[in-house]
Amino acid sequence: MSGAAAPRRRGRPPRAADGDAPAARDRILEAARAEFSERGYEKTSVRGIARAAGVDSALVHHYFGTKEQVFEAAVEVAFAPALDAPAAVADGPLDGAGERLTRFALGLWENPATRAPLLAIVRSAVDNETAAAVFRRLIAAQLLRRIAGRLEPPDAELRAELAAAQLVGIVMLRHVIKAEPLASADPELIVERVAPVVQGHLTAP
Amino acid sequence: MSGAAAPRRRGRPPRAADGDAPAARDRILEAARAEFSERGYEKTSVRGIARAAGVDSALVHHYFGTKEQVFEAAVEVAFAPALDAPAAVADGPLDGAGERLTRFALGLWENPATRAPLLAIVRSAVDNETAAAVFRRLIAAQLLRRIAGRLEPPDAELRAELAAAQLVGIVMLRHVIKAEPLASADPELIVERVAPVVQGHLTAP
């Protein structure tokens, strides 16, 4: 702010050299998503994110705070559009919820823009409690609260989670482990097979 | 062999100082399972395994070769008893296969002796191709080949894999992410809900 031009590693970060703060902020988020999805939470550093974004580490801390906060911002900003979808999934007619939820979950992973932050969460959540908590929170907030609230007790939350488990498992084998034949299967064939199963978890007696 | 007593980091490893080679070999495997399951493949080092086992790194290389080979030995030795079970799962009557497979998969994860190597595979497979290949091989060899061979074509392998996906997802949410209510659910309740779904994947029209 006071025009200090000498590079400093600590203290107030300089304004982005290119003078375009929103662009720098977006570059940091994009770099963070790429780093977290490629390396997982533990192996990703704020310094590595800053390097990939072409900014100083101090600017990353300035915009986002700790590494944990960068992680949350990176995955949650990317989720913002996707997180509106469960409303439509959960709020439509209950007897089509299985297919809507299946198409929604598979669609998130077919779309490169949402696949990267999702991979970041999965790769991070298996060995880091912070990332696991973000995963749990996404599942709890979006799925259990919205969908389970409409199911018959008892075990409404367990039903919703078993439905989610079917989809989580498909995504793990198809997109993370890449096991054939699921990795190359036609998405429509998967929907055809899986939507009735998800529906059964939600509403079968 | 020639009685060299001075510590060396390279070349032929000394025999285990305690003179008990099988015990040292077992300690290395146990340490490897613990390290891989806690840290995942990438962050585990042969040096760290050797330290945890109380032996020299050279002895680890002597018995097992590369880190990849230590990993395979650590997870596959632990699987040896478990890998006999799919025969019984796959070779019994087909109309009970859903329940047998569900009980088998959940049982592997309820048992601490098999949970550690499984966690090692999952934590490693999400960000390492070697570990992902081991995962794929276990699924392909044990599940797809044995069970899918008995199912109706077409899509027999896809059916077996979708059944596996349901179980993989449950294990991810229950044992890795620890999302409630699944993390604390009674295993018998899970079997009751999930066995018919797994059976449906395998044999429903």
Side-chain angles (χ1 to χ4, degrees):
Chain A
M1 287 305 187
S2 56
R8 289 180 303 170
R9 308 289 308 184
R10 305 260 174 242
R12 280 271 141 223
R15 280 297 172 197
D18 60 11
D20 191 345
R25 201 176 182 285
D26 289 348
R27 280 209 313 278
I28 292 168
L29 284 178
E30 198 176 314
R33 282 195 286 276
E35 293 281 308
F36 283 123
S37 65
E38 197 175 314
R39 302 163 181 273
Y41 185 88
E42 294 281 359
K43 278 182 283 175
T44 294
S45 66
V46 167
R47 182 180 297 197
I49 292 169
R51 196 182 311 122
V55 303
D56 193 89
S57 298
L59 197 66
V60 178
H61 290 301
H62 172 69
Y63 282 131
F64 299 103
T66 64
K67 173 171 139 182
E68 178 176 338
Q69 290 169 315
V70 180
F71 179 79
E72 295 202 357
V75 302
E76 296 202 318
V77 165
F79 267 116
L83 289 182
D84 293 334
V89 170
D91 299 345
L94 201 54
D95 66 4
E99 181 173 340
R100 292 198 304 281
L101 190 57
T102 301
R103 287 190 184 280
F104 169 67
L106 296 181
L108 283 181
W109 283 86
E110 302 296 328
N111 177 354
T114 41
R115 191 195 302 141
L118 286 165
L119 258 178
I121 294 180
V122 170
R123 293 205 162 128
S124 302
V126 295
D127 65 357
N128 179 270
E129 183 44 39
T130 301
V134 171
F135 197 146
R136 282 195 296 270
R137 192 149 44 82
L138 287 170
I139 286 187
Q142 297 305 318
L143 195 91
L144 300 185
R145 216 175 300 157
R146 298 193 87 115
I147 296 181
R150 300 186 56 206
L151 307 178
E152 295 291 322
D155 299 330
E157 293 204 336
L158 184 63
R159 281 171 173 275
E161 203 174 352
L162 290 173
Q166 174 71 76
L167 298 169
V168 165
I170 286 169
V171 158
M172 278 292 290
L173 294 180
R174 178 175 171 86
H175 292 284
V176 183
I177 307 300
K178 299 189 170 71
E180 296 295 354
L182 199 44
S184 308
D186 178 353
E188 282 303 314
L189 177 60
I190 301 176
V191 170
E192 186 185 306
R193 295 266 182 195
V194 169
V197 169
V198 172
Q199 184 70 40
H201 278 307
L202 298 178
T203 57
Chain B
M1 286 298 193
S2 56
R8 291 179 302 170
R9 306 292 303 184
R10 303 261 176 241
R12 280 272 141 221
R15 281 298 173 196
D18 61 12
D20 190 345
R25 200 176 182 286
D26 289 349
R27 280 209 313 279
I28 292 168
L29 283 178
E30 200 175 312
R33 282 194 285 276
E35 293 282 307
F36 283 123
S37 64
E38 197 175 315
R39 302 164 181 274
Y41 185 88
E42 293 282 0
K43 277 181 283 176
T44 295
S45 66
V46 167
R47 183 182 295 200
I49 292 169
R51 196 184 308 121
V55 303
D56 192 89
S57 298
L59 197 67
V60 178
H61 290 301
H62 172 70
Y63 281 132
F64 298 104
T66 64
K67 174 172 138 181
E68 179 176 337
Q69 290 168 315
V70 180
F71 179 78
E72 294 203 356
V75 301
E76 296 202 319
V77 165
F79 266 116
L83 289 184
D84 293 335
V89 170
D91 299 345
L94 201 54
D95 66 3
E99 182 172 340
R100 292 199 303 281
L101 189 58
T102 302
R103 286 190 185 281
F104 169 68
L106 296 181
L108 283 181
W109 284 85
E110 302 296 328
N111 178 354
T114 41
R115 191 194 303 140
L118 285 165
L119 259 178
I121 293 179
V122 171
R123 291 203 163 129
S124 302
V126 295
D127 65 358
N128 178 270
E129 183 45 38
T130 301
V134 172
F135 197 145
R136 282 196 297 270
R137 192 149 45 82
L138 287 169
I139 286 188
Q142 296 306 318
L143 196 90
L144 299 186
R145 216 174 301 157
R146 297 194 87 116
I147 297 181
R150 301 187 56 205
L151 306 178
E152 295 291 324
D155 299 332
E157 293 205 336
L158 184 64
R159 282 170 172 274
E161 203 173 352
L162 291 173
Q166 174 72 76
L167 297 169
V168 165
I170 287 170
V171 159
M172 278 291 291
L173 293 179
R174 177 175 172 86
H175 293 284
V176 183
I177 306 301
K178 297 189 171 72
E180 296 293 354
L182 198 44
S184 308
D186 179 350
E188 282 303 314
L189 178 59
I190 300 175
V191 171
E192 187 184 307
R193 294 266 183 197
V194 169
V197 168
V198 172
Q199 184 70 41
H201 277 307
L202 297 178
T203 57

